[in-house]
mmCIF file of all heavy atoms in Angstrom:
data_model
loop_
_atom_site.group_PDB
_atom_site.id
_atom_site.type_symbol
_atom_site.label_atom_id
_atom_site.label_comp_id
_atom_site.label_asym_id
_atom_site.label_seq_id
_atom_site.Cartn_x
_atom_site.Cartn_y
_atom_site.Cartn_z
ATOM 1 N N PRO A 1 275.572 186.530 73.661
ATOM 2 C CA PRO A 1 275.901 187.946 74.293
ATOM 3 C C PRO A 1 275.804 189.025 73.269
ATOM 4 O O PRO A 1 275.868 188.734 72.059
ATOM 5 C CB PRO A 1 277.260 187.693 74.832
ATOM 6 C CG PRO A 1 277.913 186.527 74.060
ATOM 7 C CD PRO A 1 276.739 185.621 73.702
ATOM 8 N N PRO A 2 275.756 190.204 73.597
ATOM 9 C CA PRO A 2 275.539 191.307 72.701
ATOM 10 C C PRO A 2 276.811 191.472 71.842
ATOM 11 O O PRO A 2 276.695 191.933 70.601
ATOM 12 C CB PRO A 2 275.436 192.566 73.578
ATOM 13 C CG PRO A 2 274.976 192.109 74.945
ATOM 14 C CD PRO A 2 275.516 190.720 74.972
ATOM 15 N N PHE A 3 277.879 191.057 72.246
ATOM 16 C CA PHE A 3 279.091 191.141 71.324
ATOM 17 C C PHE A 3 279.291 189.936 70.350
ATOM 18 O O PHE A 3 280.190 189.905 69.724
ATOM 19 C CB PHE A 3 280.349 191.352 72.171
ATOM 20 C CG PHE A 3 280.526 190.311 73.277
ATOM 21 C CD1 PHE A 3 281.149 189.149 73.184
ATOM 22 C CD2 PHE A 3 280.029 190.735 74.601
ATOM 23 C CE1 PHE A 3 281.147 188.200 74.182
ATOM 24 C CE2 PHE A 3 280.153 189.849 75.693
ATOM 25 C CZ PHE A 3 280.717 188.560 75.449
ATOM 26 N N GLY A 4 278.316 189.084 70.494
ATOM 27 C CA GLY A 4 278.270 187.942 69.418
ATOM 28 C C GLY A 4 277.753 188.363 68.208
ATOM 29 O O GLY A 4 277.327 189.588 68.019
ATOM 30 N N SER A 5 277.508 187.476 67.176
ATOM 31 C CA SER A 5 276.870 187.830 65.902
ATOM 32 C C SER A 5 275.843 186.821 65.494
ATOM 33 O O SER A 5 276.141 185.657 65.512
ATOM 34 C CB SER A 5 277.931 187.876 64.822
ATOM 35 O OG SER A 5 277.386 188.050 63.630
ATOM 36 N N PRO A 6 274.699 187.311 65.273
ATOM 37 C CA PRO A 6 273.589 186.396 64.750
ATOM 38 C C PRO A 6 273.556 186.163 63.277
ATOM 39 O O PRO A 6 272.780 185.425 62.826
ATOM 40 C CB PRO A 6 272.269 187.020 65.171
ATOM 41 C CG PRO A 6 272.652 188.547 65.143
ATOM 42 C CD PRO A 6 274.172 188.630 65.478
ATOM 43 N N ALA A 7 274.590 186.856 62.589
ATOM 44 C CA ALA A 7 274.556 186.680 61.061
ATOM 45 C C ALA A 7 275.216 185.345 60.799
ATOM 46 O O ALA A 7 275.436 184.528 61.734
ATOM 47 C CB ALA A 7 275.285 187.883 60.536
ATOM 48 N N ASN A 8 275.488 185.092 59.587
ATOM 49 C CA ASN A 8 276.141 183.831 59.168
ATOM 50 C C ASN A 8 277.526 184.067 58.704
ATOM 51 O O ASN A 8 277.725 184.866 57.708
ATOM 52 C CB ASN A 8 275.335 183.221 58.108
ATOM 53 C CG ASN A 8 275.683 181.698 57.849
ATOM 54 O OD1 ASN A 8 276.432 181.107 58.523
ATOM 55 N ND2 ASN A 8 275.224 181.199 56.772
ATOM 56 N N PRO A 9 278.635 183.768 59.306
ATOM 57 C CA PRO A 9 278.656 182.769 60.427
ATOM 58 C C PRO A 9 278.087 183.251 61.738
ATOM 59 O O PRO A 9 278.288 184.540 62.064
ATOM 60 C CB PRO A 9 280.228 182.536 60.602
ATOM 61 C CG PRO A 9 280.835 182.961 59.377
ATOM 62 C CD PRO A 9 280.035 184.188 58.842
ATOM 63 N N VAL A 10 277.467 182.454 62.470
ATOM 64 C CA VAL A 10 276.939 182.851 63.779
ATOM 65 C C VAL A 10 278.106 182.608 64.894
ATOM 66 O O VAL A 10 278.536 181.557 65.094
ATOM 67 C CB VAL A 10 275.679 181.841 64.180
ATOM 68 C CG1 VAL A 10 275.196 182.161 65.580
ATOM 69 C CG2 VAL A 10 274.644 181.973 63.167
ATOM 70 N N ASP A 11 278.433 183.779 65.497
ATOM 71 C CA ASP A 11 279.429 183.735 66.506
ATOM 72 C C ASP A 11 278.785 183.623 67.931
ATOM 73 O O ASP A 11 278.234 184.712 68.396
ATOM 74 C CB ASP A 11 280.332 184.964 66.407
ATOM 75 C CG ASP A 11 281.488 184.981 67.382
ATOM 76 O OD1 ASP A 11 281.680 183.980 68.074
ATOM 77 O OD2 ASP A 11 282.181 185.940 67.442
ATOM 78 N N VAL A 12 278.658 182.557 68.523
ATOM 79 C CA VAL A 12 278.086 182.480 69.862
ATOM 80 C C VAL A 12 279.134 182.810 70.902
ATOM 81 O O VAL A 12 278.645 183.012 72.149
ATOM 82 C CB VAL A 12 277.490 181.085 70.102
ATOM 83 C CG1 VAL A 12 276.490 180.613 69.040
ATOM 84 C CG2 VAL A 12 278.711 179.972 70.180
ATOM 85 N N THR A 13 280.315 183.010 70.542
ATOM 86 C CA THR A 13 281.455 183.406 71.383
ATOM 87 C C THR A 13 281.667 182.267 72.537
ATOM 88 O O THR A 13 280.867 181.432 72.745
ATOM 89 C CB THR A 13 281.247 184.735 72.138
ATOM 90 O OG1 THR A 13 280.358 184.557 73.149
ATOM 91 C CG2 THR A 13 280.621 185.792 71.138
ATOM 92 N N ALA A 14 282.844 182.448 73.167
ATOM 93 C CA ALA A 14 283.094 181.460 74.303
ATOM 94 C C ALA A 14 282.103 181.533 75.472
ATOM 95 O O ALA A 14 282.096 180.652 76.260
ATOM 96 C CB ALA A 14 284.532 181.823 74.792
ATOM 97 N N GLN A 15 281.245 182.554 75.441
ATOM 98 C CA GLN A 15 280.158 182.723 76.472
ATOM 99 C C GLN A 15 279.259 181.499 76.452
ATOM 100 O O GLN A 15 278.292 181.389 77.371
ATOM 101 C CB GLN A 15 279.426 183.991 76.396
ATOM 102 C CG GLN A 15 280.330 185.159 76.760
ATOM 103 C CD GLN A 15 280.887 185.247 78.085
ATOM 104 O OE1 GLN A 15 280.160 184.929 79.045
ATOM 105 N NE2 GLN A 15 282.115 185.485 78.273
ATOM 106 N N VAL A 16 279.218 180.768 75.319
ATOM 107 C CA VAL A 16 278.348 179.612 75.290
ATOM 108 C C VAL A 16 278.503 178.653 76.586
ATOM 109 O O VAL A 16 277.661 177.947 76.920
ATOM 110 C CB VAL A 16 278.503 178.728 73.910
ATOM 111 C CG1 VAL A 16 279.895 178.084 73.943
ATOM 112 C CG2 VAL A 16 277.405 177.914 73.703
ATOM 113 N N ILE A 17 279.780 178.760 77.105
ATOM 114 C CA ILE A 17 280.045 177.827 78.269
ATOM 115 C C ILE A 17 279.185 178.243 79.404
ATOM 116 O O ILE A 17 278.997 177.461 80.423
ATOM 117 C CB ILE A 17 281.573 177.879 78.664
ATOM 118 C CG1 ILE A 17 281.842 179.323 79.174
ATOM 119 C CG2 ILE A 17 282.382 177.511 77.550
ATOM 120 C CD1 ILE A 17 283.305 179.402 79.651
ATOM 121 N N ASN A 18 278.582 179.431 79.486
ATOM 122 C CA ASN A 18 277.728 179.914 80.522
ATOM 123 C C ASN A 18 276.216 179.556 80.383
ATOM 124 O O ASN A 18 275.412 179.725 81.253
ATOM 125 C CB ASN A 18 277.857 181.393 80.802
ATOM 126 C CG ASN A 18 279.320 181.678 81.193
ATOM 127 O OD1 ASN A 18 279.928 180.958 81.961
ATOM 128 N ND2 ASN A 18 279.828 182.805 80.733
ATOM 129 N N ASP A 19 275.925 179.056 79.208
ATOM 130 C CA ASP A 19 274.475 178.763 78.778
ATOM 131 C C ASP A 19 274.401 177.269 78.427
ATOM 132 O O ASP A 19 274.728 176.875 77.400
ATOM 133 C CB ASP A 19 274.007 179.617 77.731
ATOM 134 C CG ASP A 19 272.497 179.480 77.490
ATOM 135 O OD1 ASP A 19 271.914 178.455 77.985
ATOM 136 O OD2 ASP A 19 271.981 180.259 76.791
ATOM 137 N N PRO A 20 273.793 176.435 79.365
ATOM 138 C CA PRO A 20 273.865 175.087 79.024
ATOM 139 C C PRO A 20 272.977 174.631 77.801
ATOM 140 O O PRO A 20 273.005 173.528 77.294
ATOM 141 C CB PRO A 20 273.148 174.386 80.353
ATOM 142 C CG PRO A 20 272.508 175.563 81.031
ATOM 143 C CD PRO A 20 273.213 176.850 80.678
ATOM 144 N N GLN A 21 272.091 175.510 77.306
ATOM 145 C CA GLN A 21 271.178 175.181 76.225
ATOM 146 C C GLN A 21 271.479 176.159 75.062
ATOM 147 O O GLN A 21 270.761 176.131 74.061
ATOM 148 C CB GLN A 21 269.767 175.181 76.606
ATOM 149 C CG GLN A 21 269.325 174.038 77.458
ATOM 150 C CD GLN A 21 269.723 172.610 76.839
ATOM 151 O OE1 GLN A 21 269.407 172.399 75.754
ATOM 152 N NE2 GLN A 21 270.250 171.829 77.689
ATOM 153 N N GLY A 22 272.396 177.072 75.083
ATOM 154 C CA GLY A 22 272.604 178.069 74.106
ATOM 155 C C GLY A 22 272.961 177.548 72.729
ATOM 156 O O GLY A 22 272.453 177.846 71.699
ATOM 157 N N MET A 23 273.947 176.489 72.725
ATOM 158 C CA MET A 23 274.273 175.788 71.441
ATOM 159 C C MET A 23 273.119 175.178 70.772
ATOM 160 O O MET A 23 272.829 175.176 69.657
ATOM 161 C CB MET A 23 275.430 174.846 71.711
ATOM 162 C CG MET A 23 275.919 174.226 70.439
ATOM 163 S SD MET A 23 276.692 175.323 69.256
ATOM 164 C CE MET A 23 278.265 175.669 70.037
ATOM 165 N N THR A 24 272.316 174.451 71.570
ATOM 166 C CA THR A 24 271.161 173.713 70.981
ATOM 167 C C THR A 24 270.124 174.678 70.375
ATOM 168 O O THR A 24 269.680 174.338 69.307
ATOM 169 C CB THR A 24 270.388 172.973 72.135
ATOM 170 O OG1 THR A 24 271.316 171.958 72.679
ATOM 171 C CG2 THR A 24 269.207 172.259 71.654
ATOM 172 N N GLU A 25 269.871 175.814 71.025
ATOM 173 C CA GLU A 25 268.996 176.672 70.467
ATOM 174 C C GLU A 25 269.510 177.337 69.180
ATOM 175 O O GLU A 25 268.711 177.517 68.268
ATOM 176 C CB GLU A 25 268.670 177.868 71.522
ATOM 177 C CG GLU A 25 267.742 178.918 71.001
ATOM 178 C CD GLU A 25 266.336 178.471 70.667
ATOM 179 O OE1 GLU A 25 266.022 177.353 71.021
ATOM 180 O OE2 GLU A 25 265.544 179.194 70.046
ATOM 181 N N CYS A 26 270.824 177.704 69.102
ATOM 182 C CA CYS A 26 271.385 178.170 67.866
ATOM 183 C C CYS A 26 271.381 177.229 66.818
ATOM 184 O O CYS A 26 270.898 177.546 65.633
ATOM 185 C CB CYS A 26 272.724 178.708 68.157
ATOM 186 S SG CYS A 26 272.917 180.199 69.230
ATOM 187 N N LEU A 27 271.599 176.005 67.017
ATOM 188 C CA LEU A 27 271.576 174.908 66.086
ATOM 189 C C LEU A 27 270.138 174.678 65.564
ATOM 190 O O LEU A 27 269.969 174.589 64.364
ATOM 191 C CB LEU A 27 272.054 173.617 66.593
ATOM 192 C CG LEU A 27 273.738 173.554 66.790
ATOM 193 C CD1 LEU A 27 273.977 172.343 67.628
ATOM 194 C CD2 LEU A 27 274.368 173.589 65.486
ATOM 195 N N SER A 28 269.247 174.704 66.504
ATOM 196 C CA SER A 28 267.810 174.565 66.045
ATOM 197 C C SER A 28 267.353 175.669 65.190
ATOM 198 O O SER A 28 266.638 175.479 64.253
ATOM 199 C CB SER A 28 266.913 174.432 67.320
ATOM 200 O OG SER A 28 267.298 173.394 68.050
ATOM 201 N N ALA A 29 267.817 176.956 65.476
ATOM 202 C CA ALA A 29 267.420 178.059 64.701
ATOM 203 C C ALA A 29 268.001 177.944 63.308
ATOM 204 O O ALA A 29 267.291 178.269 62.203
ATOM 205 C CB ALA A 29 267.935 179.425 65.331
ATOM 206 N N LEU A 30 269.264 177.422 63.156
ATOM 207 C CA LEU A 30 269.931 177.253 61.863
ATOM 208 C C LEU A 30 269.136 176.191 61.000
ATOM 209 O O LEU A 30 268.867 176.324 59.907
ATOM 210 C CB LEU A 30 271.326 176.903 61.985
ATOM 211 C CG LEU A 30 272.370 177.974 62.208
ATOM 212 C CD1 LEU A 30 273.769 177.347 62.242
ATOM 213 C CD2 LEU A 30 272.190 179.021 61.105
ATOM 214 N N GLU A 31 268.775 175.111 61.721
ATOM 215 C CA GLU A 31 268.099 174.076 61.009
ATOM 216 C C GLU A 31 266.853 174.471 60.433
ATOM 217 O O GLU A 31 266.347 173.993 59.343
ATOM 218 C CB GLU A 31 267.882 172.841 61.977
ATOM 219 C CG GLU A 31 267.210 171.624 61.304
ATOM 220 C CD GLU A 31 266.826 170.526 62.295
ATOM 221 O OE1 GLU A 31 266.524 170.833 63.403
ATOM 222 O OE2 GLU A 31 266.976 169.339 61.880
ATOM 223 N N ALA A 32 266.060 175.403 61.111
ATOM 224 C CA ALA A 32 264.823 175.858 60.755
ATOM 225 C C ALA A 32 264.820 176.914 59.615
ATOM 226 O O ALA A 32 263.795 177.128 59.049
ATOM 227 C CB ALA A 32 264.010 176.342 61.969
ATOM 228 N N ASP A 33 265.966 177.530 59.386
ATOM 229 C CA ASP A 33 266.082 178.488 58.433
ATOM 230 C C ASP A 33 266.025 177.956 57.073
ATOM 231 O O ASP A 33 266.770 177.101 56.723
ATOM 232 C CB ASP A 33 267.459 179.265 58.682
ATOM 233 C CG ASP A 33 267.519 180.549 57.894
ATOM 234 O OD1 ASP A 33 267.336 180.532 56.658
ATOM 235 O OD2 ASP A 33 267.562 181.666 58.549
ATOM 236 N N PRO A 34 265.191 178.414 56.200
ATOM 237 C CA PRO A 34 264.937 177.950 54.913
ATOM 238 C C PRO A 34 266.190 178.210 54.018
ATOM 239 O O PRO A 34 266.311 177.594 52.854
ATOM 240 C CB PRO A 34 263.717 178.557 54.337
ATOM 241 C CG PRO A 34 263.611 179.888 55.048
ATOM 242 C CD PRO A 34 264.169 179.553 56.539
ATOM 243 N N ASN A 35 267.055 179.187 54.381
ATOM 244 C CA ASN A 35 268.200 179.394 53.593
ATOM 245 C C ASN A 35 269.482 178.522 53.886
ATOM 246 O O ASN A 35 270.428 178.718 53.239
ATOM 247 C CB ASN A 35 268.591 180.908 53.836
ATOM 248 C CG ASN A 35 267.594 181.861 53.346
ATOM 249 O OD1 ASN A 35 266.879 181.711 52.318
ATOM 250 N ND2 ASN A 35 267.260 182.877 54.079
ATOM 251 N N VAL A 36 269.186 177.657 54.748
ATOM 252 C CA VAL A 36 270.367 176.729 55.172
ATOM 253 C C VAL A 36 270.152 175.211 54.793
ATOM 254 O O VAL A 36 268.939 174.782 55.130
ATOM 255 C CB VAL A 36 270.645 176.850 56.701
ATOM 256 C CG1 VAL A 36 271.650 175.871 57.264
ATOM 257 C CG2 VAL A 36 271.095 178.215 57.135
ATOM 258 N N ASP A 37 271.076 174.678 54.113
ATOM 259 C CA ASP A 37 270.923 173.289 53.741
ATOM 260 C C ASP A 37 271.740 172.384 54.593
ATOM 261 O O ASP A 37 271.520 171.141 54.663
ATOM 262 C CB ASP A 37 271.323 173.126 52.206
ATOM 263 C CG ASP A 37 270.498 173.919 51.317
ATOM 264 O OD1 ASP A 37 269.183 173.928 51.417
ATOM 265 O OD2 ASP A 37 271.051 174.733 50.439
ATOM 266 N N MET A 38 272.793 172.860 55.143
ATOM 267 C CA MET A 38 273.694 172.040 55.961
ATOM 268 C C MET A 38 274.444 172.941 56.971
ATOM 269 O O MET A 38 274.508 174.130 56.737
ATOM 270 C CB MET A 38 274.729 171.150 55.052
ATOM 271 C CG MET A 38 275.465 172.112 54.132
ATOM 272 S SD MET A 38 276.264 171.045 52.792
ATOM 273 C CE MET A 38 276.625 172.292 51.565
ATOM 274 N N MET A 39 275.087 172.287 57.883
ATOM 275 C CA MET A 39 275.642 173.154 59.016
ATOM 276 C C MET A 39 277.095 172.742 59.369
ATOM 277 O O MET A 39 277.477 171.528 59.309
ATOM 278 C CB MET A 39 274.787 172.879 60.261
ATOM 279 C CG MET A 39 273.451 173.566 60.160
ATOM 280 S SD MET A 39 272.351 173.183 61.523
ATOM 281 C CE MET A 39 271.757 171.552 61.096
ATOM 282 N N SER A 40 277.799 173.825 59.580
ATOM 283 C CA SER A 40 279.225 173.567 60.052
ATOM 284 C C SER A 40 279.284 174.095 61.475
ATOM 285 O O SER A 40 278.943 175.277 61.788
ATOM 286 C CB SER A 40 280.165 174.372 59.163
ATOM 287 O OG SER A 40 281.392 174.380 59.814
ATOM 288 N N VAL A 41 279.783 173.297 62.366
ATOM 289 C CA VAL A 41 279.913 173.702 63.821
ATOM 290 C C VAL A 41 281.408 173.834 64.066
ATOM 291 O O VAL A 41 282.251 172.813 63.948
ATOM 292 C CB VAL A 41 279.221 172.752 64.817
ATOM 293 C CG1 VAL A 41 279.473 173.115 66.241
ATOM 294 C CG2 VAL A 41 277.836 172.648 64.484
ATOM 295 N N VAL A 42 281.980 174.906 64.422
ATOM 296 C CA VAL A 42 283.348 175.137 64.732
ATOM 297 C C VAL A 42 283.560 175.621 66.114
ATOM 298 O O VAL A 42 283.086 176.724 66.567
ATOM 299 C CB VAL A 42 283.915 176.247 63.702
ATOM 300 C CG1 VAL A 42 285.468 176.290 63.975
ATOM 301 C CG2 VAL A 42 283.661 175.854 62.230
#
């Protein structure tokens, strides 16, 4: 959502519950980023 944050940390907000594939897409984007070596999911 617009009130989330695409920066790092990535804030998908609680609205992730309304998008069945939102978490997967965000994780895939982080994995593909050359500046990221490992991931923390909170």
